[in-house]
Amino acid sequence: MTTSRRPRILAALCLTAAAALTAAGCAKQESSGTADADSTQGAQVVQSPTAAESAADGCTLQSYGAAELDLKDAVVGFSQSEKEANPFRIAETQSIKDEAAKLGVKKLLTTNAQSQLSKQISDIQDMLAQGAQLLIVAPLNSDGLEPALQAAAAKHVPVITVDRKLNATACKDYVAFLGSDFVEQGKRAADAMIEVTGGKGKVAILLGSSGNNVTTDRTKGFVDQIKAKAPGLEIVAQQTGEFARDKGQQVMEQLIQSKPDITAVYAENDEMGLGAVTALKGAGKKPGKDVKVISIDGTRNAVQALADGQYNGVIESNPRFGPLAFATAQKFFAGEAIPENVIISDRAYDASNAKDSLSGAY
């Protein structure tokens, strides 16, 4: 990267982070109707770029083949991947809507693929037909969106992906990925599990849905960290709960029968973890005591369970992408170079901070 371009990338990241810090998404909650806004606790914060990221050229309007655009005159499309029965998806969509309204975006189109890849493809194609000039996409899977990406490329419409990565070429098929370091989340979940179990016991993993990097990376981070740091913790089962509470409960009920000596559960999202809690209670076990429970997301319900002693740890995965997505788009359309990966920092909840941190959960 040239010396003159490096400051532009760093400035873009810093300004993006600053913009993200100014607003937090307000999420509808299953338990409380709405979540209280907390512009400091709930906001996404971008990690400082690594030396490798700083040295990358990044994606520009010129290299992508797009034209300058004022978002106040733009039609923006947001493609949600999964039905909004999950607090993460509720908060994510609401954050996009709130930030679009705050910025005065001319028109925001929103779609929901209902966990169907074919529908997400057609949703994106339909938004392009309606004149979308920017696409923000929460991919259902890391593969399979090629027809939609090709349709966007044919019209020179930039695509920004959030929360899941695509197995595609940055600055050709999409501009950038905005989200967490999922391997690191798995490692942090493992560290939390080691702490609450003393590094001994039998662990069941409730895997997320297949076909996306979130599940793959959260599994790898956890498994590798357990092997390296706690050989006394034996992973005795890995079964998918498909990121759903009812499926997580069903799988946990089966595991209680087939492996009654399980002493800990790592759920790759909070919904599955809460389903596991229900199953454990139904079996006469005390979640949080008889069986330790660690999960990833940071939903209000999981943090409340942690505060109530029925959970043992939660690693955050912040869904409030609105400020970051639109700030990144603004920088891109202004001619700034955007790194391939814009990684956010995630908090951790434990017994010591759960009660005081509820306002920052979603």
Side-chain angles (χ1 to χ4, degrees):
M1 183 179 79
T2 63
T3 302
S4 61
R5 184 169 291 177
R6 183 180 293 110
R8 291 198 306 163
I9 295 178
L10 292 173
L13 280 172
C14 292
L15 289 173
T16 298
L21 281 167
T22 61
C26 299
K28 179 181 176 183
Q29 300 296 316
E30 294 176 353
S31 59
S32 59
T34 58
D36 297 330
D38 187 324
S39 60
T40 56
Q41 287 193 357
Q44 290 182 338
V45 178
V46 177
Q47 292 182 11
S48 298
T50 65
E53 290 167 335
S54 298
D57 285 343
C59 190
T60 64
L61 275 174
Q62 183 177 7
S63 58
Y64 197 83
E68 290 186 14
L69 181 67
D70 184 344
L71 291 178
K72 291 185 178 180
D73 297 323
V75 178
V76 178
F78 173 60
S79 172
Q80 180 58 274
S81 58
E82 299 173 353
K83 59 185 178 181
E84 292 169 8
N86 182 324
F88 183 98
R89 298 299 168 189
I90 295 170
E92 183 176 61
T93 298
Q94 191 61 51
S95 178
I96 297 292
K97 290 180 177 179
D98 289 347
E99 191 66 12
K102 177 183 174 182
L103 294 176
V105 171
K106 179 182 177 181
K107 186 176 183 180
L108 178 69
L109 307 171
T110 60
T111 60
N112 191 303
Q114 303 292 321
S115 298
Q116 301 172 46
L117 181 61
S118 60
K119 186 176 187 307
Q120 184 159 45
I121 292 170
S122 63
D123 284 347
I124 293 171
Q125 292 170 333
D126 287 346
M127 287 191 289
L128 288 167
Q130 293 178 61
Q133 297 161 287
L134 166 70
L135 291 170
I136 302 170
V137 178
L140 177 63
N141 295 331
S142 295
D143 294 298
L145 280 178
E146 289 81 8
L149 297 175
Q150 290 166 5
K155 293 190 173 186
H156 305 288
V157 174
V159 177
I160 293 174
T161 67
V162 297
D163 85 54
R164 289 178 184 171
K165 286 188 176 183
L166 291 173
N167 291 327
T169 304
C171 210
K172 177 185 175 184
D173 302 311
Y174 67 100
V175 173
F177 160 74
L178 316 182
S180 300
D181 183 332
F182 304 114
V183 173
E184 183 64 20
Q185 287 179 341
K187 289 181 178 179
R188 294 175 71 192
D191 288 339
M193 183 67 77
I194 292 167
E195 182 175 350
V196 299
T197 61
K200 297 180 180 180
K202 296 187 177 182
V203 184
I205 300 177
L206 299 184
L207 303 167
S209 55
S210 60
N212 67 80
N213 74 301
V214 177
T215 296
T216 302
D217 289 354
R218 286 179 181 171
T219 303
K220 175 177 173 53
F222 184 86
V223 171
D224 288 352
Q225 192 79 336
I226 292 296
K227 288 181 179 178
K229 290 193 171 183
L233 269 174
E234 181 185 0
I235 298 172
V236 297
Q238 296 187 48
Q239 292 190 33
T240 182
E242 298 175 4
F243 286 137
R245 188 182 298 199
D246 57 349
K247 183 67 174 179
Q249 179 180 343
Q250 178 185 344
V251 170
M252 193 68 231
E253 287 170 347
Q254 295 169 351
L255 288 173
I256 290 169
Q257 295 297 318
S258 63
K259 298 183 182 296
D261 54 351
I262 287 172
T263 59
V265 175
Y266 164 49
E268 292 184 344
N269 82 339
D270 289 352
E271 286 295 282
M272 293 188 296
L274 291 166
V277 165
T278 300
L280 290 165
K281 288 180 179 179
K285 296 179 181 292
K286 295 180 180 179
K289 295 180 176 63
D290 298 336
V291 179
K292 308 298 185 184
V293 182
I294 302 289
S295 67
I296 298 175
D297 265 353
T299 65
R300 181 72 62 93
N301 293 324
V303 178
Q304 184 65 63
L306 178 55
D308 294 341
Q310 297 180 354
Y311 231 76
N312 302 93
V314 177
I315 307 302
E316 182 189 51
S317 193
N318 195 329
R320 301 173 177 95
F321 284 99
L324 180 58
F326 282 105
T328 301
Q330 286 177 317
K331 297 303 174 186
F332 177 74
F333 285 120
E336 298 285 354
I338 306 301
E340 177 179 347
N341 298 306
V342 180
I343 305 301
I344 62 174
S345 298
D346 294 311
R347 294 171 295 167
Y349 301 95
D350 58 26
S352 70
N353 65 14
K355 289 182 180 179
D356 293 335
S357 299
L358 274 168
S359 62
Y362 56 90

